[in-house]
Amino acid sequence: MTQVVPEVAARAYLYGFPLVFNLDQVDRYVRAGVGANPAAPFNTFSHARTLAGPADTFVTINNDTLYSMGQIDLSVGPVALHVPDTAGRYYVLQFVDAWTDNFAYVGHRATGTAAGDFLLVPPGWTGQAPDGTTVIAFPTTIASIVGRWACSGTADLPVVHALQDATTLTPVDPGARPAGLPSPDPAVDASLLFWEKLRLWSQAFPPAPRDRELQDSFAPIGIGEKESPYTAPDEPTAAALRAGLRAGEKNLDTALTHGSSPEVNGWKLTLHAFDYNLDYFEVGALDDPRFQIADPTLRIIERAAAAKGGLWGNHAYEAAYIMTYLDERGEQLTGAHTYTLRLDPTPPVGAFWSVTMYSVPDFYLVDNPIDRYSIGDRTPGIVYDTDGSLTITISHTAPTDPTTRANWLPAPAGEFRPVLRMYEPAEAVLNQTYVVAPITRT
């Protein structure tokens, strides 16, 4: 390892953050589970049986759907996926590779809601799939299936549970054992563990060919070494790596809050935040220039910001996300004030929409006395205005007026960030002719 320049390390951090952050979450699901999703081995599903709540400490998790998470390791060879007939119910299985590329979709929009069979195959596979089976080629041997099932409440849970149980993963070779994630050298100091993970995992799960030259440019910090250079680095090298890490973290936070996404009425229109996949388009993933970031530098920055702010988010054509930190005055939203959001008209969608409350800076769901973490077109008891619009009250303290309370989205005492999700958004959302009003302090 040559002399480390902190500025190079800072750029390497932005490049490698999605891989490391993502695979840390993959490991978390396999070993410990997350909230309502119990731990499950590779090539099996972990099904959440309840809608997400504050105990589900995962960034920007939704409260609209039940999750079915599958961490896939194709070191065992092909794995068969079966999906049941959902009789028109919205669901999506989103396929995310190790570098966080959304490379395939199965579900309501992409493949319909009839029963179906798919064969998940590793990079370079050249075998023959059974008749009636759709092949999905994985860019990396480890990837995630992020399943979401529309659920309208407690009474709807048994139906969704049956659909989850009928969704299966079956390795073609039942005796094969997954290789899993390479383990970092235990001798590496915690302050340098990011670099050790990036070294191991970027070699085990190579990036897209277009990114290999960029990855090679970070060789001076040691990520291309076969043996770990981070177990006993000299102090100047260790200091430079730590400085690069700190600078990279600061740059990422800046990109997350002041990124390239356009802003209208305080809402960041992150309709293209997940458009960094330019290379892998399996079933359901659109190879469409409208959903591809052409600028190579911006692409890397947006990929890192998307991972930190909304890991495993969908392309906008599947589910559009917009979010805001600010009120109509341009000031940070906080539970010290009461706000209203008037949706006139309500979002045009092919499936459904919701506004979900998240804490800042963790982006977790917020505990509240009525256990309401989101409000949307499926929320029982909401009261529309006479013209069909909807006025949502956002506050930490509960409203006393019954109508206002029916439309209350509880907020934390501190700072917060709501996210508006639109599942299967209409073209007016994608071309930005549908405009959401600012959140107004009352």
Side-chain angles (χ1 to χ4, degrees):
M1 185 165 52
T2 58
Q3 183 178 4
V4 173
V5 178
E7 290 77 12
V8 174
R11 291 196 298 273
Y13 178 85
L14 280 178
Y15 169 76
F17 178 84
L19 176 74
V20 174
F21 187 65
N22 176 42
L23 293 182
D24 274 340
Q25 300 306 313
V26 168
D27 183 66
R28 186 181 173 197
Y29 266 97
V30 171
R31 294 180 184 273
V34 177
N37 276 89
F42 281 112
N43 303 325
T44 62
F45 276 115
S46 164
H47 298 302
R49 299 307 201 183
T50 58
L51 292 169
D56 299 275
T57 52
F58 190 87
V59 292
T60 318
I61 196 169
N62 83 53
N63 183 245
D64 303 312
T65 64
L66 261 62
Y67 280 91
S68 290
M69 306 299 302
Q71 307 306 335
I72 310 301
D73 184 350
L74 297 182
S75 63
V76 301
V79 172
L81 165 69
H82 174 77
V83 296
D85 188 341
T86 71
R89 178 185 295 265
Y90 177 86
Y91 82 101
V92 61
L93 300 182
Q94 168 199 4
F95 292 71
V96 189
D97 76 4
W99 291 88
T100 70
D101 291 321
N102 295 331
F103 65 93
Y105 292 92
V106 170
H108 185 275
R109 174 197 62 83
T111 57
T113 61
D117 291 288
F118 302 85
L119 190 67
L120 318 182
V121 303
W125 184 79
T126 57
Q128 186 70 34
D131 291 343
T133 299
T134 300
V135 171
I136 301 179
F138 277 42
T140 51
T141 54
I142 282 183
S144 303
I145 298 177
V146 185
R148 302 171 177 91
W149 305 88
C151 181
S152 56
T154 303
D156 201 24
L157 288 173
V159 177
V160 178
H161 293 170
L163 294 171
Q164 290 177 310
D165 293 341
T167 305
T168 58
L169 291 163
T170 309
V172 173
D173 179 357
R177 294 291 175 263
L181 294 171
S183 298
D185 190 316
V188 174
D189 184 78
S191 65
L192 302 178
L193 192 56
F194 175 89
W195 303 114
E196 173 70 350
K197 290 178 177 178
L198 179 56
R199 179 188 73 84
L200 281 172
W201 296 344
S202 63
Q203 293 181 44
F205 313 108
R210 74 176 63 245
D211 290 334
R212 288 175 185 168
E213 183 178 354
L214 176 59
Q215 182 166 301
D216 290 345
S217 73
F218 300 128
I221 66 170
I223 66 171
E225 300 291 334
K226 292 301 178 185
E227 300 295 330
S228 178
Y230 310 117
T231 55
D234 59 61
E235 187 47 42
T237 297
L241 287 168
R242 295 186 190 105
L245 188 72
R246 291 192 298 271
E249 290 172 336
K250 183 177 180 180
N251 293 341
L252 179 51
D253 286 341
T254 299
L256 189 61
T257 55
H258 302 86
S260 65
S261 297
E263 190 173 298
V264 177
N265 291 334
W267 291 92
K268 293 183 73 64
L269 307 184
T270 55
L271 304 177
H272 300 285
F274 299 97
D275 291 356
Y276 40 81
N277 172 27
L278 307 182
D279 300 281
Y280 306 110
F281 302 97
E282 298 295 306
V283 61
L286 303 185
D287 187 0
D288 182 339
R290 291 194 306 161
F291 301 102
Q292 295 173 4
I293 299 172
D295 183 292
T297 301
L298 177 62
R299 177 177 154 266
I300 296 301
I301 295 170
E302 286 291 304
R303 185 175 70 177
K308 183 165 186 181
L311 184 66
W312 300 341
N314 288 290
H315 279 100
Y317 52 75
E318 181 68 43
Y321 312 108
I322 69 172
M323 60 200 65
T324 183
Y325 298 81
L326 308 174
D327 63 17
E328 89 287 2
R329 309 177 191 195
E331 297 179 7
Q332 171 67 51
L333 297 167
T334 169
H337 303 294
T338 296
Y339 307 89
T340 59
L341 168 62
R342 188 164 186 263
L343 297 174
D344 181 22
T346 55
V349 292
F352 54 93
W353 65 267
S354 68
V355 181
T356 307
M357 176 62 64
Y358 296 99
S359 62
V360 169
D362 297 318
F363 310 130
Y364 295 159
L365 297 175
V366 175
D367 196 14
N368 65 84
I370 62 170
D371 292 330
R372 178 182 284 177
Y373 312 109
S374 63
I375 191 167
D377 56 1
R378 301 173 304 149
T379 302
I382 56 175
V383 180
Y384 290 87
D385 300 336
T386 55
D387 60 0
S389 62
L390 184 70
T391 301
I392 298 170
T393 295
I394 303 172
S395 63
H396 180 59
T397 304
T400 55
D401 174 71
T403 300
T404 305
R405 188 178 175 89
N407 296 353
W408 178 41
L409 180 60
E415 297 180 350
F416 60 86
R417 179 198 70 171
V419 174
L420 171 58
R421 285 181 173 85
M422 294 164 278
Y423 291 83
E424 294 188 18
E427 181 59 29
V429 173
L430 297 177
N431 66 24
Q432 300 176 28
T433 55
Y434 174 70
V435 177
V436 180
I439 292 179
T440 304
R441 189 192 304 181
T442 60

